[in-house]
Amino acid sequence: MEHLKSGHTHPVVCIDPGHDSALANPSTVDKRYYEGQQMWDLSQKLRSELESRGIEVMLTKTQVNQAVSLASRGSRSAGADIFLSMHSNAASTASPNWVLALHQVDNGCASRSAESKSLGEALGAAAAAQMGVAWKCYAVKSAADRDGNGYLDDYYGVLRSASAAGTPGIILEHGFHTNLANTLWLLEEENLDRLARAEAEAIALWFGVDGGEETQAAADGGDSLALFRAAAASALGAQEDDILAKTVTVSTVVNRRHAVVAPIQQRLRDMGYTQVGEVDGVAGPKFTAAVKAYQATGTGLVDGEITARQLTWKRLLGVA
């Protein structure tokens, strides 16, 4: 496993369910939506999904209406391997429509900032794939150097305090509750279930954890093609009978961290294309090499890309 603190035998994740009240941050476009309640519900679902994969979970609070300061939230991650603060975003207009992962700045520890960024990219891609929107991942520096170490701090208090506790952390904004389509999507419990599964799988892959129902079924000699179809459907936010229509272009330059990359990598490994390397959810040079090797065994262009317009995707799905 990767990204574990010294002495850890399994991952420990600290989840921060966002705001202090169930009624915090009401939507301006649908009166049923409150960020506080929805992110609390999503955090509980994510907790269950992570624990089912053998990942230990800590929460920054035990009740939805428990008030916890920004400094305390991050500091409660001491001893955890990662800190994850769960939110939905807001804007002055209804047009913003993306998932945002905010990672930590390099406050004198480049390795922690790099881990934070890679985690943010993995989770941003996973959440965006489920919501059917774009995603962004970046850091925001404060104008201050509060600890006097010569580096500007994180702008966001929870990330500052997590960094002070030695924990790589991100703030994950699940779309905008000022955008009606995002808000309606987040109000559906089934969609929160899908988000939780996708994010738990992304975290498990980031740690290199072997677990979850699909992984275990594969280990037990389950049907690799059936597992791939199920995993691809989950990653694309589609039903299994709609995964041909829902596919996206995946390559080293387009959607390289899309949630569907990991299922494709696993499928290629299962078929013996070991040049794909580890199942890390990143379409890099090894991914290209494996895809080209697979394409070379059939018809069509050998370009290392998975696309909707060629036979590669259909062949992977066993329908061409």
Side-chain angles (χ1 to χ4, degrees), residues 8-25:
H8 283 196
T9 59
H10 60 274
V12 181
V13 174
C14 180
I15 300 176
D16 173 38
H19 296 278
D20 294 340
S21 164
L23 301 181
N25 290 359

Side-chain angles (χ1 to χ4, degrees), residues 221-235:
D223 186 340
S224 174
L225 177 57
L227 292 176
F228 172 64
R229 287 176 172 171
S234 175

Side-chain angles (χ1 to χ4, degrees), residues 145-156:
D145 174 16
R146 294 170 179 81
D147 54 11
N149 68 347
Y151 293 85
L152 297 180
D153 303 321
D154 278 293
Y155 175 82
Y156 295 97

Side-chain angles (χ1 to χ4, degrees), residues 109-281:
C109 183
S111 61
R112 182 165 59 243
S113 176
E115 285 195 310
S116 170
K117 182 179 180 181
S118 69
L119 174 65
E121 289 174 339
L123 283 171
Q130 294 303 311
M131 296 185 71
V133 300
W135 62 277
K136 302 179 181 182
C137 181
Y138 54 80
V140 181
K141 288 185 178 180
S142 168
D145 174 16
R146 294 170 179 81
D147 54 11
N149 68 347
Y151 293 85
L152 297 180
D153 303 321
D154 278 293
Y155 175 82
Y156 295 97
V158 290
L159 296 184
R160 283 200 307 272
S161 53
S163 182
T167 313
I170 67 164
I171 296 171
L172 188 58
E173 301 275 8
H174 298 81
F176 287 75
H177 56 257
T178 46
N179 176 292
L180 182 59
N182 290 177
T183 303
L184 293 174
W185 195 92
L186 289 167
L187 280 167
E188 294 292 331
E189 186 169 359
E190 289 185 0
N191 290 337
L192 294 187
D193 290 334
R194 287 167 51 194
L195 266 180
R197 285 194 297 271
E199 291 174 10
E201 189 61 27
I203 291 171
L205 285 170
W206 188 78
F207 279 117
V209 170
D210 291 325
E213 293 179 3
E214 291 177 0
T215 304
Q216 187 58 50
D220 292 341
D223 186 340
S224 174
L225 177 57
L227 292 176
F228 172 64
R229 287 176 172 171
S234 175
L236 292 168
Q239 299 297 317
E240 287 192 42
D241 59 1
D242 197 29
I243 46 182
L244 280 174
K246 286 277 189 175
T247 186
V248 295
T249 297
V250 178
S251 71
T252 56
V253 295
V254 181
N255 290 315
R256 68 187 295 266
R257 288 184 178 270
H258 193 284
V260 80
V261 172
I264 293 171
Q265 288 173 317
Q266 186 61 58
R267 175 67 173 150
L268 289 169
R269 283 178 64 88
D270 290 344
M271 291 188 295
Y273 294 92
T274 56
Q275 57 265 65
V276 75
E278 297 299 319
V279 179
D280 60 2

